Amino acid sequence: MAQLDIRKFESKRLRLYTDIDPAIAERLPPIVDQAYEAWEAYFGPLPPNREGSEYQITGYLMKDESLFERAKLVPKDLPKIEHGRHRGARFWMNDQKYDYYRRHLMLHEATHCFMTTLPEMRGPVWYFEGMAELFATHRVDASGRVTFRVMPHEKSRFAGWGRISLVQKDVAKHGPRSADQVTRAPRIGSGQAVDYAWWWALCKFLDSHPRYRDRFRQIGRHLGEEPFEVLFRRYFDDVLSELWTEWPLFATGIEYGYDFQRAAVAFRTGTPLVGP
Ligand SMILES: [Zn+2]
C-alpha cells in the first residue's frame, strides 16, 4: 500500500487510511477518540462486540479516490461518494478544502458508524442525520481538546460548513419549515444540503433549549428500546404545542452564537384574574 502513497494513522478508536498531508492526517484519529467518549456519555456504552475487542472505526479519507480504488479499498457496490459514506464501522470520505469541514465530515460519518452499532438503532432520517451533524459541529481549543454539539459562534471558524446560512436563505425564500416538513424523509435520495441544515437545526434546537434538552437526551439514552415515534411521544407529548410554537421563532432567528437561554419563551397557563 505504501507505494501508492496511502498511509495509515491509528488511534484507539480510528484507523485512518489516507493520501493527504501526513501533518494534517495525524491529528485526526485522536479527535475520534474524544468523540467516542462524547457518544458514550450521550447514548450510553456500546455492548461488547462478539470478538470482545475494542470498538474501532476504519476510515478512508481520499484526496485521489482512484488510488483507493486501485488498492481495492472502496467496495464496488458502494454508492458514489459525494462527500462521505458509511457502512457498519467503516466510512469513506473525500478530502475537503477547509480544515474545519474535513474534521466535521469525518465526525459526521464516524457518528453514523457509532449510532448504527447501537442495539437496534432505528429512527427517522432527520434524527439520524441531525445527530451526526450535531456531534460533527465542534470546536477545538489550543490544547487539542474538542467540544462537540456546539452552536457555531463565528462563521470563519466553521469554514465550509454553512448550515446557518442555508437555513437563513431558505427561510427568506419559503419561510420556516413546519414540524411536518422538517421531520419528513426526503422524497428522493438522501436529501440535499438544505435538508441536512434543517435536520441539524432541529436537533440543535432540541438539544439546547432549556425546556426540551433533557427530554431530547432521554430519547438518545433509550434508542432501540421502543420505536422512535413511541419514545418521542413519551418525552414530548405534553410539550408539543409549546415546542412547535417556539420552533419557528428559532428557525427565523437563527444566527451565529444564537442564545437559546435568552430566546426561550416563558409560557404561562392563564390564571383567571381574581377580583375583589
Ligand atoms: Zn449522514
Side-chain angles (χ1 to χ4, degrees), residues 108-109 112 129 196:
H108 177 110
E109 297 304 331
H112 282 326
E129 293 299 338
Y196 282 78

Side-chain angles (χ1 to χ4, degrees), residues 182-223:
V182 72
T183 57
R184 188 192 295 155
R187 269 191 216 103
I188 27 161
S190 50
Q192 309 289 318
V194 66
D195 299 318
Y196 282 78
W198 279 109
W199 295 328
W200 165 75
L202 180 58
C203 287
K204 181 63 193 152
F205 173 71
L206 295 172
D207 186 53
S208 307
H209 192 291
R211 198 184 343 263
Y212 313 118
R213 61 192 174 201
D214 295 340
R215 295 161 183 267
F216 192 57
R217 205 147 176 170
Q218 288 299 317
I219 292 178
R221 274 272 159 189
H222 297 283
L223 282 178

Side-chain angles (χ1 to χ4, degrees), residues 9 16 18 20-30:
F9 299 84
L16 182 70
T18 186
I20 68 161
D21 179 353
I24 296 173
E26 68 181 12
R27 293 202 294 267
L28 298 173

Side-chain angles (χ1 to χ4, degrees), residues 215 229-243:
R215 295 161 183 267
E229 294 67 28
V230 175
L231 274 180
F232 194 82
R233 259 182 270 131
R234 165 157 323 142
Y235 292 108
F236 281 95
D237 234 9
D238 58 328
V239 289
L240 273 186
S241 69
E242 287 96 332
L243 165 59

